[in-house]
Amino acid sequence: MHDLIAQLCQVGFFAALIRIATPLIFATLGELFAERAGILNLGIEGIMMLAAMTGFSTAYFSGSLWLGVAAAMATGMLAGLLMGLLTVSLGLSQHVSGIGVTLLCSGLSFFFYRLIFGQPSSIPKITAFTPLPIPGLSAIPILGPILFDHFSLVYLAFLLVPAAAWVLRRTPWGLNLRTVGENPHAAFTAGVSVIKIRYQALLLSGALMGLGGAFLSMAQYNAYTFGVISGRGWVCIALVVFGQWNPWKSAAGALLFAFIDALQLRLQASTLNLPYEVFLMMPFVLTIVGMALVSRNAKAPAALLIPFRKEER
């Protein structure tokens, strides 16, 4: 126990926590934008998986990590466009459409990976992103290595949190987005294009989910495997509810999940005589418990899951 406490007090533990939270923040913000517009995007798990594969493959053959990131974002946007076609234009069930998108994207990621790489004896790898210390700040004792010695995508993820909060609360587009998610008919009456806003939200949502997938295959790991996402997409949906559709609270939930995930990794290496599967399920079980406790008082956007039809009032 003393050894475990000593590990938790190390700088490396908190630095790992920040890295683990990064893809969750990207994808959670993406899901948050979609849901604030009234669309539950259950395709997040598959979108992240397909984006991780396309981003990795692009970086592998082009030698450019940023081109891989762009490919992952484009993949996410295309998936968001498909989700928009199903739920916004056709008005189909968001639950069924989202599950369908997840299954389609997951299947495509497996298919194209096998088509591109076959079944190699060793996993193809790339030279992943390397940490980019911020001059001056990274030299600060304790806080420097924890906060200012990370991949460039880590800094981007944490900068996106205040940016998302500002966009939602301080810009006309954010006001329109929130209005569409609460009362689309009132927004339509005021001259706002509900369909356009929802498509824009899904495109932005897909791009951010693509960033989350790209981070996992190109920064946190330097390879793509079929288990690279490992349920993180579903966790992000729970984090949006946990954060009550607020970027700050949702990011705090991502950090909490990352803390538990980093903790279970340390527990696996401890002397506790338990199957490792017990530790693996810890973050997900506690996420479910946390969401169940918080969701009692959570107020979802009023138009979430409700298709918009101009002729209906």
Side-chain angles (χ1 to χ4, degrees), residues 13-29 134 145-166 208 211-212 215 220 239 247-259:
F13 174 80
F14 291 98
L17 185 157
I18 298 294
R19 290 193 297 273
I20 292 171
T22 297
L24 298 174
I25 290 175
F26 278 131
T28 299
L29 290 178
I134 297 179
I146 294 175
L147 299 176
F148 305 113
D149 189 10
H150 289 286
F151 309 120
S152 52
L153 289 176
V154 174
Y155 304 131
L156 176 61
F158 282 86
L159 287 174
L160 282 176
V161 177
W166 180 78
L208 291 171
L211 272 173
F215 180 87
Q220 189 158 327
L239 290 176
W248 292 105
K249 293 179 180 179
S250 296
L255 286 169
L256 178 60
F257 179 90
F259 174 82

Side-chain angles (χ1 to χ4, degrees), residues 2-3 32 46 50 60 140 161 163 165 170 196 201 214 260 274-276 300 302 306 308:
H2 290 89
D3 292 339
L32 187 147
L50 183 58
Y60 182 86
I140 299 174
V161 177
R170 304 294 182 182
K196 181 179 178 181
I260 300 169
L274 291 172
Y276 75 93
I306 301 175
F308 171 72

Side-chain angles (χ1 to χ4, degrees), residues 192-243:
V192 176
S193 174
V194 175
I195 293 176
K196 181 179 178 181
I197 290 292
R198 287 188 167 177
Y199 264 103
Q200 289 173 348
L202 285 169
L203 287 172
L204 176 58
S205 170
L208 291 171
M209 292 171 186
L211 272 173
F215 180 87
L216 288 168
S217 62
M218 298 165 56
Q220 189 158 327
Y221 310 112
N222 63 338
Y224 173 83
T225 63
F226 295 146
V228 69
I229 306 302
S230 298
R232 288 178 177 86
W234 306 117
V235 170
C236 291
I237 296 173
L239 290 176
V240 173
V241 180
F242 180 86

Side-chain angles (χ1 to χ4, degrees), residues 39-57:
I39 304 296
L40 176 65
N41 192 352
L42 291 180
I44 181 171
E45 180 80 6
I47 292 172
M48 291 179 70
M49 185 174 294
L50 183 58
M53 193 282 298
T54 56
F56 170 81
S57 300

